Amino acid sequence: MKQRYLLALAALLIPSTSPAANFVRGTSTAPHRGAWEISLPLDDPLGNPFFDVEVHFVFPLPAGSEVKAEGFFQGGNRWAGRAYCTEAGRWKWRSVANRPALDGKRGEFVVQPSELPGKLRKHPRDPRQFAYDDGQWFLHLGDTGYRYVTATEPLWQQYIDEAAQVGFNKIRTWFCSGRHDVAALFTKDRQGLDLAYWDEIERRLVYALEEYPHIQFQLILYGEDWPELRRYAEGERATQWVARYAQARFSALPNVQWCISNDGDVSPAEGRRNVAPATIDRIGRDIRAREPWGTLLTNHQKRFQGYSFVEADWSDIITLEDRDQVAGELVLKYRALSKDDPVVLDEDRYGNYISPRHDRYFFRRLMWANLLSGGHATYGGLNTYEPFAGAEKLQGVQGYLTAVRDGRLDDGAADFRHIRTLFAEAKLTLVGLQPNDPMAGNDGQNVKVIAGQKVIIAYLQNPDSPTPETANVAETAAACRLHLPLGNWRIRWFDPRTGQWHADTRHKEISGGDTRDFKSPFPGDAVLLLEASE
């Protein structure tokens, strides 16, 4: 059993070598939890092909339900529709259009079993956690690759290949050619879309889907383009078309989720970076109303502002930006505000911006602390929000491992792979576990605890300073005091720097119902795993 878990772990870290495509076009078969496309011709669109031609594809599913998805203009004389293959079996499709040449077309294809993980959802047994459609728990290890799909970034493939090696499985990226500019998406007269740019976005998403289908992309539709967001509220047709066209073209891809905007001041007040809450809410409702495949949706706003859409029906994820969240306080706050949404700290410090003094310890600590707070965290290494300007500069999209190897970037994410190792080798997930810092005296800066009836995980941070920005790990044995529930508990220690397990030299098992002292058998920070004896 242990070997099977290790093989599954290894499979996540290497490219797929299967010749079978995860995204297929015009075929009679398609992979379960993959994507399928049909393309139809229309030689004379009579008007603007983007705005005046409307086509939808209706998919009756094998189990009896039906999905209606909008089609999109591919260029030339082609319009396409896409399906996310949620069910195995025989699928049918038909087109509904305002042009006779596109209307009333029919066909079918067969969705065959596959090993693809599929789209990301809220976990069916714990909405604070994520799961793929195949039921596999999603251990969130995020990164910021903002310009990954930007056409002018030359090292995008190096970036994603190395992100997979590090163990990242969610990448935040935007459509912008610049932080405050989505103009590259349009033709110069704004009477249509620059399809060459959109084709490049697709090429990069499909490359990742074929090679690393477990990696999710959070596509940030409007980036930090505040004027464009205001145009949406004013009813500007081209602006509104960005989200609509993106959904029609990319929602069927299993590795995609949506974020409306990034780093904005969500406020009704006037200001350069300001966007009214009503504008974001309108965009969110519009996207939700169109969404055919249940793709997750969120928004992101500036540091320290929290999240303004906890109660919004369209919002699936609480997305936060803050600083020095090594106690997971913000995650705990927003868990208390919402009972059924995952909470993600998607920005904190960066390895190359507002950097901590000791990157490796800070980011290891940040990731563990937020996971054990019942949330999820994201790393940021290079300045991927700035354009590539040569391999000697730490900006643009390029390989994290290459930058570390060349001595240009501290190895802040070096220990993330060990997080995955613990859960795989211990055959555990965080599903159903609850944050329980009171078990360790409510000292979240030093000890983080998450617990269930049969398992307790404690992260002993062991900092040498109370200031997260400057703290390093103390090279002494970490210690903590826990009040244990009744029962007998097996003890194991895990070194988050090496990925090695250690037995407790004093006790292999301990009885609960009282306060117990624990001391790590090695120096530095440590993870204590307590499992109930049968």
Side-chain angles (χ1 to χ4, degrees):
M1 181 67 76
K2 179 178 180 181
Q3 183 180 15
R4 181 165 63 86
Y5 271 83
L6 292 175
L7 289 173
L9 170 65
L12 292 176
L13 304 180
I14 60 176
S16 167
T17 57
S18 170
N22 301 330
F23 172 45
V24 295
R25 294 176 168 92
T27 57
S28 60
T29 61
H32 187 201
R33 297 183 295 272
W36 178 88
E37 177 188 286
I38 183 66
S39 180
L40 300 175
L42 172 61
D43 291 324
D44 187 0
L46 298 176
N48 188 307
F50 291 100
F51 304 135
D52 297 332
V53 178
E54 295 184 6
V55 58
H56 287 80
F57 292 83
V58 180
F59 298 95
L61 306 189
S65 62
E66 190 172 87
V67 175
K68 185 178 183 180
E70 188 167 20
F72 62 96
F73 179 51
Q74 287 186 305
N77 70 338
R78 310 299 295 186
W79 274 256
R82 291 176 175 172
Y84 168 58
C85 302
T86 55
E87 300 175 12
R90 186 170 298 278
W91 284 48
K92 296 180 179 181
W93 64 270
R94 67 181 186 273
S95 62
V96 179
N98 66 350
R99 297 292 189 271
L102 296 176
D103 187 49
K105 306 302 180 184
R106 295 175 181 272
E108 60 182 48
F109 59 100
V110 176
V111 174
Q112 299 177 329
S114 83
E115 296 183 357
L116 290 174
K119 273 192 174 291
L120 203 63
R121 314 289 188 188
K122 296 179 187 179
H123 199 287
R125 291 188 287 110
D126 184 351
R128 311 289 200 155
Q129 297 291 325
F130 294 106
Y132 294 108
D133 265 342
D134 70 350
Q136 179 186 175
W137 174 57
F138 182 82
L139 173 55
H140 183 288
L141 297 173
D143 190 30
T144 53
Y146 290 115
R147 294 173 58 86
Y148 173 73
V149 299
T150 302
T152 54
E153 290 295 316
L155 298 183
W156 64 273
Q157 188 171 328
Q158 181 193 80
Y159 168 79
I160 196 63
D161 290 345
E162 294 189 11
Q165 293 178 57
V166 174
F168 293 124
N169 58 6
K170 192 198 79 175
I171 310 298
R172 304 189 74 234
T173 188
W174 55 34
F175 284 174
C176 305
S177 58
R179 294 181 69 178
H180 313 296
D181 183 12
V182 298
L185 298 175
F186 306 112
T187 56
K188 290 184 179 180
D189 62 3
R190 294 178 68 91
Q191 295 305 302
L193 301 177
D194 183 342
L195 290 181
Y197 194 98
W198 288 85
D199 289 346
E200 186 61 24
I201 293 173
E202 180 169 304
R203 184 167 79 98
R204 299 182 186 191
L205 293 175
V206 170
Y207 172 82
L209 176 60
E210 299 297 348
E211 298 296 332
Y212 313 106
H214 65 286
I215 295 181
Q216 288 279 309
F217 289 88
Q218 187 175 89
L219 301 183
I220 307 170
L221 293 163
Y222 294 96
E224 299 175 18
D225 196 330
W226 324 124
E228 209 69 66
L229 288 165
R230 287 190 280 271
R231 290 188 192 104
Y232 193 107
E234 294 164 1
E236 212 273 3
R237 183 173 65 171
T239 304
Q240 293 181 353
W241 201 257
V242 168
R244 184 174 171 182
Y245 186 85
Q247 281 184 276
R249 187 160 183 171
F250 299 136
S251 271
L253 300 183
N255 59 343
V256 162
Q257 56 183 261
W258 302 118
C259 184
I260 296 169
S261 66
N262 190 71
D263 207 24
D265 185 346
V266 178
S267 167
E270 292 186 2
R272 183 181 65 85
R273 293 179 57 184
N274 286 28
V275 56
T279 298
I280 298 298
D281 189 62
R282 177 182 171 184
I283 298 172
R285 286 185 283 109
D286 288 349
I287 292 172
R288 176 61 63 214
R290 286 189 301 262
E291 177 55 46
W293 307 111
T295 305
L296 295 176
L297 173 62
T298 188
N299 187 58
H300 179 274
Q301 52 204 86
K302 72 176 186 177
R303 197 180 306 275
F304 309 128
Q305 197 178 69
Y307 190 70
S308 298
F309 306 100
V310 173
E311 301 298 329
D313 291 340
W314 55 262
S315 175
D316 298 307
I317 305 167
I318 295 172
T319 299
L320 304 168
E321 177 180 0
D322 212 274
R323 189 178 297 172
D324 294 335
Q325 283 294 316
V326 295
E329 293 173 341
L330 198 62
V331 164
L332 292 172
K333 172 184 174 181
Y334 276 89
R335 279 178 59 96
L337 294 175
S338 172
K339 296 181 179 180
D340 58 2
D341 286 335
V343 183
V344 182
L345 178 69
D346 256 335
E347 287 189 69
D348 198 281
R349 291 185 183 272
Y350 282 75
N352 194 36
Y353 167 66
I354 53 172
S355 305
R357 183 174 298 173
H358 302 284
D359 290 50
R360 186 168 179 174
Y361 173 59
F362 178 88
F363 290 112
R364 179 174 73 244
R365 185 184 185 190
L366 184 79
M367 195 66 69
W368 277 107
N370 283 276
L371 284 169
L372 299 195
S373 296
H376 318 268
T378 294
Y379 170 75
L382 293 87
N383 290 348
T384 61
Y385 48 83
E386 298 289 353
F388 182 77
E392 71 282 354
K393 294 186 177 181
L394 285 175
Q395 66 183 60
V397 170
Q398 54 186 295
Y400 162 84
L401 293 174
T402 297
V404 171
R405 181 199 66 196
D406 294 346
R408 296 179 292 120
L409 182 69
D410 289 337
D411 53 351
D415 300 320
F416 290 1
R417 65 190 188 277
H418 301 319
I419 300 173
R420 197 177 299 283
T421 297
L422 180 144
F423 288 100
E425 294 187 352
K427 305 171 190 175
L428 293 174
T429 74
L430 291 172
V431 174
L433 301 189
Q434 300 295 321
N436 197 337
D437 288 351
M439 188 179 289
N442 269 324
D443 185 13
Q445 292 277 349
N446 290 290
V447 183
K448 292 296 303 180
V449 180
I450 197 166
Q453 291 185 342
K454 295 185 177 181
V455 63
I456 300 168
I457 306 172
Y459 173 53
L460 285 60
Q461 300 189 31
N462 204 16
D464 65 2
S465 160
T467 306
E469 179 183 5
T470 59
N472 199 0
V473 63
E475 293 301 334
T476 58
C480 72
R481 175 171 291 178
L482 299 178
H483 186 84
L484 296 182
L486 289 170
N488 294 322
W489 298 89
R490 295 190 302 270
I491 303 171
R492 282 198 286 173
W493 291 91
F494 183 82
D495 189 336
R497 288 192 285 188
T498 67
Q500 299 297 311
W501 291 94
H502 297 261
D504 192 295
T505 56
R506 298 173 301 166
H507 307 283
K508 291 184 179 180
E509 190 171 291
I510 195 169
S511 59
D514 201 352
T515 299
R516 301 288 185 177
D517 291 324
F518 297 88
K519 187 173 183 179
S520 169
F522 52 85
D525 51 335
V527 180
L528 170 63
L529 175 61
L530 299 170
E531 296 173 286
S533 300
E534 296 296 336

